């Protein structure tokens, strides 16, 4: 549904995108991750027809973004980071206006407006002025305008920025409900958001794609050692020394120590299986084994590692 090939963008002498290529299949929910200034918003503005590219190609829903921009816009729903609302308009009137711009007419337009208001949970605000809505409700109205034409592809740029925790949960729930039937391309720098919503992630840094895969596969590729998290009741220094002495252990890192109970991250050679030996060591020393589980790299750790490696 989205195909990007060798996309490059210059702002004067500054290169914002450098030979960016990726593909997103129908029905996928893909996170587009990167630090501020990495090129996320530039890519999205090119895909949605708001900016031209310097070079390269892009297709959305089967249409070339540069040759058939109107066909692309008919098939996408776009939620920019800052939605250009008309604060003096009421919610229903605004959504009706957006629907008319997207070519909906008559009873079908009215039906779509009422349906998206219900789905985005803004029906109770239908006659309220947009300028008086909370940030959370404005974001729901933004989602409603993106959905009003029942698009095949949804493109969201930082959909939860500036929201409080409750509002973030609500917006994520709405986005999750939309997945499956539609292709969703979600730009964010909030990594927990990508973990919660996305099947696959694309990581961009300094205008270049540095990784594309599931979070789990990326963690497996970058993780040079096996990792275990163990929680042990016992004297801190003695426990750490005992863990370090186990065959195959590369590193022991203290994560927390409270009231005689320590949490330790243990890195081991991938070829070594130390769980049985670890349990025996804890029991034989008279310590208490309270927790023992795998601790793969998180998406945050993967992201930091990839972005750090790309820094000049």
């Amino acid at each position: 549904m989205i195909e990007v090939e060798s996309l490059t963008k210059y702002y004067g002498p500054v290169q914002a995108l450098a030979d960016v290529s990726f593909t997103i299949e129908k029905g996928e929910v893909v996170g587009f991750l990167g630090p501020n200034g990495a090129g996320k918003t530039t890519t999205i503005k090119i895909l949605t027809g708001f900016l031209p590219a310097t070079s390269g190609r892009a297709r959305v829903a089967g249409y070339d973004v540069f040759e058939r921009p109107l066909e692309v816009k008919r098939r996408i729903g776009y939620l920019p980071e800052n939605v250009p609302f008309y604060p003096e308009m009421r919610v229903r009137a605004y959504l009706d206006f957006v629907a008319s711009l997207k070519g909906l007419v008559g009873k079908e337009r009215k039906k779509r407006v009422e349906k998206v208001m219900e789905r985005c949970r803004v029906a109770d605000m239908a006659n309220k002025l947009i300028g008086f809505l909370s940030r959370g409700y404005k974001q729901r109205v933004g989602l409603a305008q993106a959905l009003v034409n029942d698009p095949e592809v949804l493109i969201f740029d930082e959909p939860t920025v500036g929201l409080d925790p409750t509002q973030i949960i609500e917006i994520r729930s709405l986005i999750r409900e939309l997945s499956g039937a539609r292709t969703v391309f979600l730009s964010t720098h909030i990594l927990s958001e990508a973990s919660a919503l996305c099947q696959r992630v694309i990581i961009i840094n300094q205008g270049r794609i540095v990784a594309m895969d599931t979070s789990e596969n990326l963690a497996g590729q970058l993780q040079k050692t096996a990792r275990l998290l163990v929680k042990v009741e016992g004297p801190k220094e003695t426990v750490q020394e005992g863990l370090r002495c186990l065959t195959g252990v590369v590193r022991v890192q203290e994560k927390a120590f409270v009231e005689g109970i320590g949490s330790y991250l243990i890195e081991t050679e991938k070829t070594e299986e130390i769980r049985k030996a670890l349990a025996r060591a804890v029991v034989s020393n008279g310590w208490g084994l309270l927790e023992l589980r795998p601790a793969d790299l998180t998406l945050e750790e993967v992201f930091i590692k990839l972005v750090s490696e790309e820094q000049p």
Side-chain angles (χ1 to χ4, degrees), residues 132-265:
F132 292 147
L133 296 180
S134 69
R135 170 74 178 175
Y137 268 110
K138 285 180 179 176
Q139 203 71 345
R140 291 189 200 180
V141 175
L143 276 172
Q145 67 80 28
L147 289 169
V148 74
N149 59 324
D150 195 21
E152 303 170 54
V153 179
L154 294 170
I155 299 178
F156 299 146
D157 191 2
E158 304 286 359
T160 61
V161 67
L163 302 183
D164 65 36
T166 300
Q167 294 166 342
I168 288 172
I169 291 170
E170 291 174 351
I171 296 300
R172 286 180 183 175
S173 177
L174 283 171
I175 293 173
R176 196 176 289 111
E177 290 172 12
L178 298 171
S179 63
R182 297 174 177 84
T183 301
V184 181
F185 186 46
L186 171 72
S187 165
T188 183
H189 67 275
I190 304 172
L191 302 185
S192 59
E193 191 157 87
S195 295
L197 296 173
C198 302
Q199 301 159 348
R200 191 161 60 94
V201 296
I202 299 170
I203 300 178
I204 187 171
N205 189 41
Q206 298 180 340
R208 299 180 183 276
I209 300 297
V210 297
M212 285 187 287
D213 212 327
T214 64
S215 300
E216 295 79 10
N217 287 347
L218 288 176
Q221 293 164 19
L222 293 174
Q223 196 167 300
K224 305 304 182 185
T225 58
R227 304 188 343 156
L228 296 170
L229 184 67
V230 59
K231 187 178 288 186
V232 178
E233 184 177 20
K236 179 166 58 174
E237 291 77 10
T238 309
V239 169
Q240 289 190 57
E241 184 59 31
L243 296 175
R244 289 192 187 97
C245 290
L246 294 173
T247 302
V249 170
V250 175
R251 182 168 176 251
V252 176
Q253 179 185 356
E254 178 189 328
K255 304 297 288 184
F257 191 84
V258 180
E259 297 181 352
I261 298 174
S263 294
Y264 307 99
L265 181 65

Side-chain angles (χ1 to χ4, degrees), residues 53-72:
T54 303
S55 63
R57 297 182 62 83
R59 293 173 65 85
V60 176
Y63 292 92
D64 190 287
V65 170
F66 312 120
E67 295 176 0
R68 307 287 297 278
L70 291 180
E71 293 298 333
V72 170

